[in-house]
Amino acid sequence: MCQKGQVGHMNNAPIGVFDSGVGGLTVAGEIMRQLPGESIVYFGDTARVPYGSKSKETIITFSRQIIRFLRTKNVKAIVIACNTASAYALETVAAETDIPVIGVIEPGAIAADKATRNGRIGIIATEGTVSSGTYSNVLMNLNPSLQVFSKACPLFVPLVEEGLLYDPVTLEIADRYLYDLLSYDIDTLILGCTHYPLIRRTIQKVVGEEVVLVNPAYETAKELESVLRERDMMSDENRGSHRFFVSDSAIRFGKFAGNILPCDIESVECVDIEKS
Ligand code: DGL
């Protein structure tokens, strides 16, 4: 660790950020906005999306492969920009890795606990995240008086990956998924999958303006900043530079990323993640 005011040799190294596909771009975008001097190496596992219906063992294997790849790019920290991988793999991979590894669930739960007024919180997420019970456990640890209601929304990820962000079909599916949750009188809803903020407008339309939607990306970027500051690992650049890698369909990914990120996408490289 370096002295205060001095920039360590790793400080201008990038942050590794990964997800099953485009969802983690919602977190990468927030990091770019809050920490503009930090560089990002993003990996989207587009060949193997969705993660939400896969087993814990598979997600741990995928996460290990991706972290191994990101480390070849000399990243100084890793953000698991995927709730499913945060739920299933964060504990295991963080214990195996000697750089900071941050997930999205704890920051999301903290934000929801702050936002709720009636203590009734809904969570929408993938099947994996819901069945892991991780959000409920973290929320109950934060505040045992909370009441938590979860709903898996497996069709949201393919709808987002297909780019059907404002489509009537997405509204119809959202209506069906969210109908039950609304009967529990929740006042706060955690978007517990990093793909969901991309259909936030549709979700808000269905749940109504009085329900606060929590996007864990904002708090995750805050958490990253505090981890980097604590360790004197902040970059001293004015503007970071970003690189993008996927396991399939690089051109499609590049177009999508270009529409939602506050930066130009110069190139997207395809890698064989199992061999890299
Ligand atoms: N965006 C991821 C998440 O936050 C994964 C979604 C999926 O691939 O099923 O859970």
Side-chain angles (χ1 to χ4, degrees):
M1 206 166 278
C2 58
Q3 301 291 309
K4 273 221 164 351
Q6 196 185 345
V7 176
H9 72 286
M10 275 290 278
N11 286 36
N12 293 339
I15 313 285
V17 178
F18 76 90
D19 178 46
S20 61
V22 297
L25 293 171
T26 59
V27 179
E30 201 51 52
I31 296 171
M32 290 173 193
R33 276 182 281 272
Q34 290 187 32
L35 305 172
E38 298 297 335
S39 297
I40 290 175
V41 176
Y42 186 92
F43 180 79
D45 201 357
T46 45
R48 304 189 292 196
V49 63
Y51 278 11
S53 49
K54 296 188 171 69
S55 70
K56 178 171 179 167
E57 292 66 36
T58 300
I59 299 303
I60 291 176
T61 303
F62 289 179
S63 301
R64 282 185 175 136
Q65 291 168 346
I66 296 167
I67 289 173
R68 192 182 60 209
F69 166 71
L70 290 172
R71 297 214 62 178
T72 67
K73 306 294 169 206
N74 294 320
V75 296
K76 64 179 175 184
I78 290 183
V79 176
I80 305 185
C82 170
N83 289 263
T84 314
S86 298
Y88 278 157
L90 173 63
E91 210 178 294
T92 307
V93 296
E96 300 168 345
T97 312
D98 60 1
I99 55 173
V101 183
I102 293 169
V104 284
I105 292 189
E106 207 164 296
I110 292 170
D113 181 40
K114 278 190 205 146
T116 185
R117 287 139 292 143
N118 71 0
R120 301 170 75 83
I121 296 177
I123 300 159
I124 51 173
T126 65
E127 283 164 318
T129 301
V130 169
S131 66
S132 75
T134 310
Y135 265 111
S136 311
N137 294 340
V138 175
L139 283 164
M140 295 320 282
N141 277 340
L142 283 172
N143 179 353
S145 71
L146 293 173
Q147 284 181 283
V148 178
F149 308 90
S150 308
K151 173 84 183 170
C153 303
L155 288 174
F156 280 171
V157 168
L159 288 167
V160 169
E161 290 283 330
E162 282 303 314
L164 298 173
L165 306 184
Y166 309 106
D167 199 272
V169 86
T170 308
L171 184 61
E172 165 72 26
I173 303 282
D175 247 332
R176 288 204 203 183
Y177 279 150
L178 303 175
Y179 184 79
D180 290 350
L181 267 188
L182 290 176
S183 66
Y184 298 123
D185 190 29
I186 55 164
D187 72 350
T188 302
L189 180 63
I190 301 178
L191 305 178
C193 169
T194 52
H195 282 70
Y196 299 176
L198 295 166
I199 51 167
R200 171 187 194 115
R201 252 205 265 160
T202 304
I203 294 170
Q204 190 85 67
K205 198 165 174 182
V206 174
V207 297
E209 290 299 325
E210 51 300 334
V211 175
V212 176
L213 299 187
V214 172
N215 173 4
Y218 183 81
E219 293 291 334
T220 303
K222 286 258 159 299
E223 163 77 4
L224 173 65
E225 179 175 1
S226 81
V227 167
L228 295 179
R229 278 197 194 289
E230 234 167 63
R231 294 164 196 240
D232 284 330
M233 283 170 74
M234 292 285 288
S235 153
D236 68 346
E237 307 269 8
N238 288 329
R239 190 140 295 277
S241 56
H242 312 300
R243 297 177 69 190
F244 299 87
F245 297 87
V246 289
S247 47
D248 201 3
S249 310
I251 294 173
R252 192 161 181 251
F253 179 92
K255 278 193 193 136
F256 199 112
N259 283 333
I260 61 167
L261 286 180
C263 70
D264 293 330
I265 315 294
E266 270 154 37
S267 72
V268 181
E269 285 170 55
C270 206
V271 294
D272 184 344
I273 196 67
E274 283 169 29
K275 296 209 182 111
S276 60

